[in-house]
C-alpha cells in the first residue's frame, strides 16, 4: 500500500470512528460486529460523500461490510 493509500484509509477510519464512537476500526472486521447500525452507516457514507465529493448509491451501500470495502468503493 502506498503512502497516499494509507493516508486515505486512515482518514476513512477516522470518519467511521467519529460517527460510530468506536475507538478501534480494524480493516476487515464486519461493521455489524462494531455495533454500527444502518443509520450510522448512512451517516458515515454521507460524511465521506461530503468530504470527498462522492455519491454512493443504494446498491453500493449493500456492498459495504468493513473498512476495506469502504476503501475499495
Amino acid at each position: 500500500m502506498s503512502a497516499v493509500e494509507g493516508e486515505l484509509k486512515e482518514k476513512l477510519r477516522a470518519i467511521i470512528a467519529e460517527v460510530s464512537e468506536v475507538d478501534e476500526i480494524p480493516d476487515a472486521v464486519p461493521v455489524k460486529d462494531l455495533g454500527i447500525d444502518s443509520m450510522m452507516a448512512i451517516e458515515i457514507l454521507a460524511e465521506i460523500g461530503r468530504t470527498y465529493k462522492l455519491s454512493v448509491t443504494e446498491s453500493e451501500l449493500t456492498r459495504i461490510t468493513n473498512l476495506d470495502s469502504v476503501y475499495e468503493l
Side-chain angles (χ1 to χ4, degrees):
M1 179 180 307
S2 73
V4 172
E5 291 171 327
E7 183 178 324
L8 175 57
K9 201 169 213 179
E10 288 308 309
K11 286 181 181 180
L12 292 172
R13 188 183 318 274
I15 290 170
I16 294 168
E18 181 179 331
V19 172
S20 67
E21 297 181 0
V22 174
D23 294 331
E24 291 291 320
I25 309 293
D27 292 356
V29 172
V31 292
K32 64 181 180 172
D33 291 351
L34 298 172
I36 297 172
D37 61 23
S38 59
M39 293 304 291
M40 282 186 214
I42 291 169
E43 188 177 345
I44 289 166
L45 291 177
E47 183 60 32
I48 290 169
R50 282 190 293 274
T51 301
Y52 295 103
K53 311 291 189 259
L54 300 172
S55 177
V56 178
T57 66
E58 187 174 330
S59 64
E60 291 170 323
L61 179 61
T62 61
R63 294 184 5 224
I64 296 173
T65 56
N66 56 39
L67 177 63
D68 284 338
S69 63
V70 173
Y71 175 77
E72 289 170 15
L73 181 64

Coordinates of all heavy atoms in Angstrom, one line a residue:
M1 N 0.9 -1.2 0.0 CA 0.0 0.0 0.0 C 0.9 1.2 0.0 O 1.8 1.3 0.8 CB -0.9 0.0 1.2 CG -1.8 1.2 1.3 SD -2.9 1.2 2.8 CE -3.7 -0.3 2.6
S2 N 0.6 2.2 -0.9 CA 1.4 3.4 -0.9 C 1.0 4.3 0.2 O 0.0 4.1 0.9 CB 1.1 4.1 -2.3 OG -0.2 4.7 -2.2
A3 N 1.8 5.3 0.4 CA 1.6 6.3 1.5 C 0.3 7.0 1.3 O -0.5 7.3 2.3 CB 2.7 7.3 1.5
V4 N -0.1 7.3 0.0 CA -1.3 8.0 -0.2 C -2.5 7.1 0.1 O -3.5 7.6 0.7 CB -1.4 8.5 -1.7 CG1 -2.8 9.0 -2.1 CG2 -0.3 9.5 -2.0
E5 N -2.4 5.8 -0.3 CA -3.5 4.9 0.0 C -3.6 4.7 1.5 O -4.7 4.7 2.1 CB -3.2 3.5 -0.6 CG -3.3 3.6 -2.1 CD -2.8 2.3 -2.8 OE1 -1.9 1.7 -2.3 OE2 -3.4 2.0 -3.8
G6 N -2.5 4.6 2.2 CA -2.5 4.5 3.7 C -3.2 5.7 4.4 O -3.9 5.6 5.3
E7 N -2.8 6.9 3.8 CA -3.4 8.1 4.4 C -4.9 8.2 4.2 O -5.7 8.6 5.1 CB -2.7 9.3 3.7 CG -3.2 10.7 4.3 CD -2.5 11.8 3.6 OE1 -1.3 11.7 3.3 OE2 -3.1 12.9 3.5
L8 N -5.4 7.8 3.0 CA -6.8 7.8 2.7 C -7.5 6.8 3.6 O -8.6 7.1 4.2 CB -7.1 7.4 1.2 CG -8.5 7.2 0.8 CD1 -9.3 8.5 1.1 CD2 -8.6 6.9 -0.6
K9 N -6.9 5.6 3.8 CA -7.6 4.6 4.7 C -7.7 5.1 6.1 O -8.7 4.9 6.8 CB -6.8 3.3 4.6 CG -7.6 2.1 5.0 CD -6.9 0.9 4.7 CE -7.8 -0.2 4.3 NZ -7.2 -1.5 4.0
E10 N -6.6 5.8 6.6 CA -6.7 6.4 7.9 C -7.7 7.5 8.1 O -8.4 7.6 9.1 CB -5.3 6.9 8.3 CG -4.3 5.8 8.6 CD -4.8 4.7 9.6 OE1 -5.3 5.1 10.7 OE2 -4.8 3.5 9.2
K11 N -7.9 8.3 7.0 CA -9.0 9.3 7.1 C -10.3 8.7 7.1 O -11.2 9.1 7.8 CB -8.8 10.3 5.9 CG -7.7 11.2 6.0 CD -7.6 12.1 4.8 CE -6.4 13.1 4.9 NZ -6.3 14.0 3.8
L12 N -10.5 7.6 6.3 CA -11.8 6.9 6.3 C -12.0 6.3 7.7 O -13.1 6.3 8.3 CB -11.8 5.8 5.3 CG -11.8 6.3 3.8 CD1 -11.7 5.1 2.9 CD2 -13.1 7.0 3.5
R13 N -11.0 5.7 8.3 CA -11.0 5.1 9.6 C -11.5 6.2 10.6 O -12.3 5.9 11.5 CB -9.7 4.5 10.0 CG -9.7 3.7 11.3 CD -8.3 3.2 11.6 NE -7.5 2.7 10.6 CZ -7.5 1.4 10.1 NH1 -8.4 0.6 10.6 NH2 -6.7 1.1 9.1
A14 N -10.9 7.4 10.5 CA -11.2 8.5 11.5 C -12.7 8.9 11.3 O -13.4 9.1 12.3 CB -10.3 9.6 11.2
I15 N -13.2 9.0 10.1 CA -14.6 9.3 9.9 C -15.5 8.3 10.5 O -16.5 8.6 11.2 CB -14.9 9.5 8.4 CG1 -14.2 10.7 7.8 CG2 -16.4 9.5 8.1 CD1 -14.3 10.9 6.3
I16 N -15.2 7.0 10.3 CA -16.0 5.9 10.8 C -16.0 5.9 12.3 O -17.0 5.8 13.0 CB -15.6 4.6 10.3 CG1 -15.9 4.5 8.8 CG2 -16.3 3.4 11.0 CD1 -15.2 3.3 8.1
A17 N -14.8 6.1 12.9 CA -14.7 6.2 14.4 C -15.4 7.3 15.0 O -16.1 7.2 16.0 CB -13.2 6.3 14.7
E18 N -15.4 8.5 14.3 CA -16.1 9.7 14.9 C -17.6 9.5 14.9 O -18.2 9.7 15.9 CB -15.7 10.9 14.0 CG -16.4 12.2 14.5 CD -16.0 13.4 13.7 OE1 -14.9 13.4 13.1 OE2 -16.9 14.3 13.7
V19 N -18.1 9.0 13.8 CA -19.6 8.8 13.7 C -20.0 7.7 14.6 O -21.1 7.8 15.3 CB -20.0 8.6 12.2 CG1 -21.5 8.2 12.2 CG2 -19.7 9.8 11.4
S20 N -19.3 6.6 14.6 CA -19.8 5.4 15.4 C -19.4 5.5 16.9 O -19.9 4.7 17.6 CB -19.2 4.2 14.8 OG -17.8 4.1 14.9
E21 N -18.4 6.4 17.2 CA -17.9 6.4 18.5 C -17.2 5.1 19.0 O -17.2 4.8 20.1 CB -19.0 6.8 19.5 CG -19.5 8.2 19.3 CD -20.6 8.7 20.2 OE1 -20.9 7.9 21.2 OE2 -21.1 9.8 20.1
V22 N -16.6 4.4 18.0 CA -15.8 3.2 18.2 C -14.4 3.6 18.0 O -14.0 4.2 17.0 CB -16.2 2.1 17.2 CG1 -15.3 0.9 17.3 CG2 -17.6 1.7 17.4
D23 N -13.5 3.4 19.1 CA -12.1 3.8 19.0 C -11.3 3.1 18.0 O -10.5 3.6 17.3 CB -11.5 3.7 20.4 CG -12.1 4.7 21.4 OD1 -12.6 5.7 21.0 OD2 -12.2 4.3 22.6
E24 N -11.4 1.8 17.9 CA -10.6 0.9 17.1 C -11.5 0.4 15.9 O -12.5 -0.3 16.1 CB -10.1 -0.3 17.8 CG -9.0 0.1 18.9 CD -7.7 0.6 18.2 OE1 -7.3 0.0 17.2 OE2 -7.1 1.6 18.8
I25 N -11.0 0.7 14.7 CA -11.7 0.3 13.5 C -10.8 -0.6 12.7 O -10.0 -0.1 11.9 CB -12.2 1.5 12.6 CG1 -13.0 2.5 13.4 CG2 -13.0 1.0 11.4 CD1 -14.3 2.0 13.9
P26 N -10.8 -1.9 12.9 CA -9.9 -2.8 12.2 C -10.3 -2.9 10.7 O -11.5 -2.6 10.4 CB -10.1 -4.1 12.8 CG -10.7 -3.8 14.2 CD -11.5 -2.6 14.0
D27 N -9.4 -3.2 9.8 CA -9.7 -3.2 8.4 C -10.8 -4.2 8.0 O -11.7 -3.9 7.2 CB -8.4 -3.5 7.6 CG -7.4 -2.4 7.7 OD1 -7.7 -1.4 8.3 OD2 -6.3 -2.6 7.1
A28 N -10.7 -5.4 8.5 CA -11.6 -6.5 7.9 C -12.7 -6.9 8.9 O -13.5 -7.8 8.5 CB -10.8 -7.7 7.6
V29 N -12.9 -6.3 10.0 CA -13.9 -6.6 11.0 C -15.3 -6.1 10.4 O -15.4 -4.9 10.1 CB -13.7 -6.1 12.4 CG1 -14.8 -6.3 13.3 CG2 -12.4 -6.7 13.0
P30 N -16.3 -7.0 10.3 CA -17.6 -6.5 9.8 C -18.1 -5.4 10.7 O -18.0 -5.4 11.9 CB -18.5 -7.7 10.0 CG -17.5 -8.9 9.9 CD -16.3 -8.4 10.6
V31 N -18.8 -4.4 10.0 CA -19.3 -3.2 10.7 C -20.3 -3.6 11.8 O -20.4 -3.0 12.8 CB -19.8 -2.1 9.8 CG1 -18.7 -1.5 9.0 CG2 -20.9 -2.7 8.9
K32 N -21.1 -4.6 11.5 CA -22.1 -5.0 12.5 C -21.5 -5.5 13.8 O -22.0 -5.4 14.8 CB -23.0 -6.1 11.9 CG -22.3 -7.4 11.5 CD -23.3 -8.4 11.0 CE -22.4 -9.7 10.7 NZ -23.2 -10.8 10.3
D33 N -20.3 -6.1 13.7 CA -19.5 -6.5 14.9 C -19.0 -5.3 15.7 O -18.6 -5.5 16.8 CB -18.4 -7.5 14.5 CG -18.9 -8.8 14.0 OD1 -20.1 -9.1 14.1 OD2 -18.1 -9.6 13.5
L34 N -19.0 -4.1 15.1 CA -18.5 -2.9 15.8 C -19.7 -2.2 16.3 O -19.5 -1.1 16.9 CB -17.7 -2.0 14.8 CG -16.5 -2.6 14.2 CD1 -15.9 -1.7 13.1 CD2 -15.4 -2.9 15.3
G35 N -20.9 -2.7 16.2 CA -22.1 -2.0 16.7 C -22.6 -0.9 15.8 O -23.4 -0.1 16.2
I36 N -22.2 -0.9 14.5 CA -22.6 0.1 13.6 C -23.9 -0.3 12.9 O -23.9 -1.4 12.2 CB -21.5 0.4 12.5 CG1 -20.2 1.0 13.3 CG2 -22.0 1.4 11.5 CD1 -19.0 1.1 12.4
D37 N -25.0 0.4 13.1 CA -26.2 0.0 12.5 C -26.4 0.7 11.2 O -25.6 1.5 10.8 CB -27.4 0.3 13.5 CG -27.5 1.8 13.9 OD1 -27.1 2.6 13.1 OD2 -28.1 2.1 14.9
S38 N -27.5 0.5 10.6 CA -27.8 1.0 9.2 C -27.8 2.6 9.2 O -27.4 3.2 8.3 CB -29.0 0.5 8.6 OG -30.2 0.7 9.4
M39 N -28.4 3.2 10.3 CA -28.5 4.6 10.4 C -27.1 5.2 10.5 O -26.7 6.2 9.9 CB -29.4 5.1 11.5 CG -30.8 4.7 11.3 SD -31.5 5.4 9.8 CE -31.5 7.1 10.1
M40 N -26.2 4.6 11.3 CA -24.8 5.1 11.4 C -24.1 4.9 10.1 O -23.3 5.8 9.7 CB -24.1 4.3 12.5 CG -24.4 4.7 13.9 SD -23.3 3.8 15.0 CE -24.3 3.6 16.4
A41 N -24.4 3.8 9.4 CA -23.7 3.6 8.1 C -24.1 4.7 7.1 O -23.2 5.2 6.4 CB -24.1 2.2 7.6
I42 N -25.3 5.0 7.1 CA -25.8 6.1 6.2 C -25.1 7.4 6.6 O -24.7 8.2 5.7 CB -27.3 6.2 6.2 CG1 -27.9 5.0 5.6 CG2 -27.8 7.5 5.6 CD1 -29.4 4.9 5.8
E43 N -25.0 7.7 7.9 CA -24.3 8.9 8.3 C -22.8 8.9 7.9 O -22.3 9.9 7.5 CB -24.5 9.1 9.8 CG -24.0 10.4 10.4 CD -24.2 10.6 11.9 OE1 -25.0 9.8 12.4 OE2 -23.6 11.5 12.4
I44 N -22.2 7.8 8.1 CA -20.8 7.6 7.7 C -20.6 7.9 6.2 O -19.8 8.7 5.8 CB -20.3 6.2 8.1 CG1 -20.1 6.1 9.6 CG2 -18.9 5.9 7.4 CD1 -20.0 4.7 10.1
L45 N -21.5 7.3 5.4 CA -21.4 7.5 4.0 C -21.7 8.9 3.6 O -21.1 9.5 2.7 CB -22.3 6.5 3.2 CG -21.9 5.1 3.3 CD1 -23.0 4.2 2.6 CD2 -20.6 4.9 2.7
A46 N -22.6 9.6 4.3 CA -22.9 11.0 4.0 C -21.7 11.8 4.3 O -21.3 12.7 3.5 CB -24.1 11.4 4.8
E47 N -21.0 11.6 5.4 CA -19.8 12.3 5.7 C -18.7 12.1 4.7 O -18.0 13.0 4.3 CB -19.3 12.0 7.2 CG -18.1 12.8 7.6 CD -18.4 14.3 7.7 OE1 -19.5 14.7 7.9 OE2 -17.4 15.0 7.4
I48 N -18.5 10.8 4.3 CA -17.5 10.5 3.3 C -17.8 11.2 2.0 O -17.0 11.8 1.3 CB -17.4 9.0 3.1 CG1 -16.8 8.3 4.4 CG2 -16.6 8.6 1.9 CD1 -16.8 6.8 4.4
G49 N -19.1 11.2 1.7 CA -19.6 11.9 0.4 C -19.3 13.4 0.5 O -18.8 14.0 -0.5
R50 N -19.5 14.0 1.6 CA -19.2 15.5 1.8 C -17.7 15.7 1.7 O -17.3 16.7 1.1 CB -19.8 16.0 3.1 CG -21.3 16.2 3.1 CD -21.7 16.9 4.4 NE -21.6 16.1 5.6 CZ -22.5 15.3 6.0 NH1 -23.6 15.1 5.4 NH2 -22.2 14.6 7.2
T51 N -17.0 14.9 2.4 CA -15.5 15.1 2.4 C -14.9 14.9 1.1 O -14.0 15.7 0.7 CB -14.9 14.1 3.5 OG1 -15.5 14.3 4.7 CG2 -13.4 14.3 3.5
Y52 N -15.3 13.9 0.4 CA -14.6 13.5 -0.9 C -15.4 13.8 -2.1 O -15.1 13.4 -3.2 CB -14.2 12.0 -0.9 CG -13.2 11.8 0.2 CD1 -13.5 11.2 1.4 CD2 -11.9 12.2 0.0 CE1 -12.6 11.0 2.4 CE2 -10.9 12.0 1.0 CZ -11.3 11.4 2.2 OH -10.3 11.2 3.2
K53 N -16.6 14.5 -2.0 CA -17.4 14.8 -3.1 C -17.9 13.6 -3.9 O -17.7 13.5 -5.1 CB -16.8 15.9 -4.0 CG -16.1 17.0 -3.4 CD -17.2 18.0 -2.8 CE -16.6 19.2 -2.3 NZ -16.4 19.3 -0.9
L54 N -18.4 12.6 -3.2 CA -18.8 11.3 -3.8 C -20.3 11.1 -3.5 O -20.8 11.6 -2.6 CB -18.0 10.2 -3.1 CG -16.5 10.1 -3.2 CD1 -16.0 9.0 -2.4 CD2 -16.1 10.0 -4.7
S55 N -20.9 10.3 -4.4 CA -22.2 9.9 -4.2 C -22.3 8.4 -4.2 O -21.7 7.7 -5.1 CB -23.1 10.4 -5.4 OG -24.4 10.0 -5.2
V56 N -22.9 7.9 -3.2 CA -23.0 6.4 -3.0 C -24.4 6.0 -3.2 O -25.3 6.5 -2.6 CB -22.5 6.0 -1.6 CG1 -22.6 4.5 -1.4 CG2 -21.1 6.4 -1.4
T57 N -24.6 5.0 -4.2 CA -25.9 4.6 -4.5 C -26.4 3.5 -3.4 O -25.6 3.0 -2.7 CB -26.0 3.9 -5.9 OG1 -25.2 2.8 -5.9 CG2 -25.5 4.9 -6.9
E58 N -27.7 3.2 -3.4 CA -28.2 2.2 -2.5 C -27.6 0.9 -2.8 O -27.3 0.1 -1.8 CB -29.7 2.2 -2.6 CG -30.4 1.3 -1.6 CD -31.9 1.4 -1.7 OE1 -32.4 2.4 -2.0 OE2 -32.5 0.4 -1.3
S59 N -27.4 0.5 -4.0 CA -26.8 -0.8 -4.3 C -25.4 -0.9 -3.8 O -24.9 -1.9 -3.4 CB -26.9 -1.1 -5.8 OG -26.1 -0.1 -6.6
E60 N -24.6 0.3 -3.9 CA -23.3 0.3 -3.4 C -23.3 0.2 -1.9 O -22.4 -0.4 -1.3 CB -22.5 1.5 -3.8 CG -22.2 1.6 -5.3 CD -21.7 2.9 -5.8 OE1 -22.2 4.0 -5.3 OE2 -20.9 3.0 -6.6
L61 N -24.3 0.7 -1.2 CA -24.4 0.7 0.2 C -24.4 -0.8 0.7 O -23.7 -1.1 1.7 CB -25.6 1.4 0.7 CG -25.9 1.4 2.2 CD1 -24.8 2.1 2.9 CD2 -27.2 2.1 2.5
T62 N -25.0 -1.6 0.0 CA -25.1 -3.0 0.5 C -23.8 -3.8 0.4 O -23.6 -4.8 1.0 CB -26.2 -3.8 -0.4 OG1 -25.8 -3.8 -1.7 CG2 -27.5 -3.2 -0.2
R63 N -22.8 -3.2 -0.4 CA -21.5 -3.9 -0.6 C -20.6 -3.5 0.5 O -19.5 -4.0 0.7 CB -20.9 -3.5 -1.9 CG -21.6 -4.0 -3.1 CD -21.0 -3.8 -4.4 NE -19.7 -3.1 -4.4 CZ -19.4 -2.1 -5.2 NH1 -20.2 -1.6 -6.1 NH2 -18.2 -1.6 -5.2
I64 N -21.0 -2.5 1.4 CA -20.1 -2.0 2.4 C -20.2 -2.9 3.7 O -21.3 -2.9 4.3 CB -20.3 -0.6 2.7 CG1 -20.0 0.3 1.5 CG2 -19.5 -0.1 3.9 CD1 -20.4 1.7 1.6
T65 N -19.2 -3.6 4.0 CA -19.3 -4.5 5.1 C -18.2 -4.3 6.2 O -18.3 -4.7 7.3 CB -19.2 -6.0 4.7 OG1 -17.9 -6.2 3.9 CG2 -20.3 -6.4 3.8
N66 N -17.1 -3.6 5.7 CA -16.0 -3.3 6.7 C -15.2 -2.1 6.1 O -15.5 -1.6 5.0 CB -15.1 -4.6 6.9 CG -14.6 -5.1 5.6 OD1 -14.2 -4.4 4.7 ND2 -14.6 -6.5 5.5
L67 N -14.1 -1.8 6.8 CA -13.3 -0.6 6.4 C -12.7 -0.9 5.0 O -12.7 0.0 4.1 CB -12.2 -0.3 7.4 CG -11.2 0.8 7.0 CD1 -12.0 2.1 6.9 CD2 -10.1 0.9 8.0
D68 N -12.2 -2.1 4.7 CA -11.6 -2.4 3.4 C -12.6 -2.2 2.3 O -12.3 -1.7 1.3 CB -11.2 -3.9 3.4 CG -9.8 -4.1 4.2 OD1 -9.1 -3.1 4.3 OD2 -9.6 -5.2 4.6
S69 N -13.9 -2.6 2.5 CA -14.9 -2.4 1.5 C -15.2 -0.9 1.2 O -15.5 -0.5 0.1 CB -16.1 -3.2 1.7 OG -16.8 -2.8 2.9
V70 N -15.2 -0.1 2.3 CA -15.4 1.3 2.2 C -14.2 1.9 1.3 O -14.5 2.7 0.4 CB -15.4 2.1 3.5 CG1 -15.4 3.6 3.4 CG2 -16.6 1.6 4.3
Y71 N -13.0 1.5 1.6 CA -11.9 2.0 0.9 C -11.9 1.6 -0.6 O -11.7 2.4 -1.5 CB -10.6 1.4 1.5 CG -9.3 1.7 0.7 CD1 -8.8 3.0 0.8 CD2 -8.7 0.8 -0.1 CE1 -7.7 3.4 0.1 CE2 -7.6 1.1 -0.8 CZ -7.1 2.4 -0.7 OH -6.0 2.7 -1.5
E72 N -12.3 0.3 -0.9 CA -12.4 -0.1 -2.2 C -13.5 0.7 -3.0 O -13.3 1.0 -4.2 CB -12.7 -1.6 -2.3 CG -11.6 -2.5 -1.8 CD -11.9 -3.9 -1.6 OE1 -13.0 -4.3 -2.1 OE2 -11.1 -4.7 -1.0
L73 N -14.6 1.0 -2.4 CA -15.6 1.7 -3.0 C -15.1 3.1 -3.3 O -15.3 3.7 -4.4 CB -16.9 1.8 -2.1 CG -18.1 2.5 -2.7 CD1 -18.6 1.8 -3.9 CD2 -19.1 2.6 -1.6

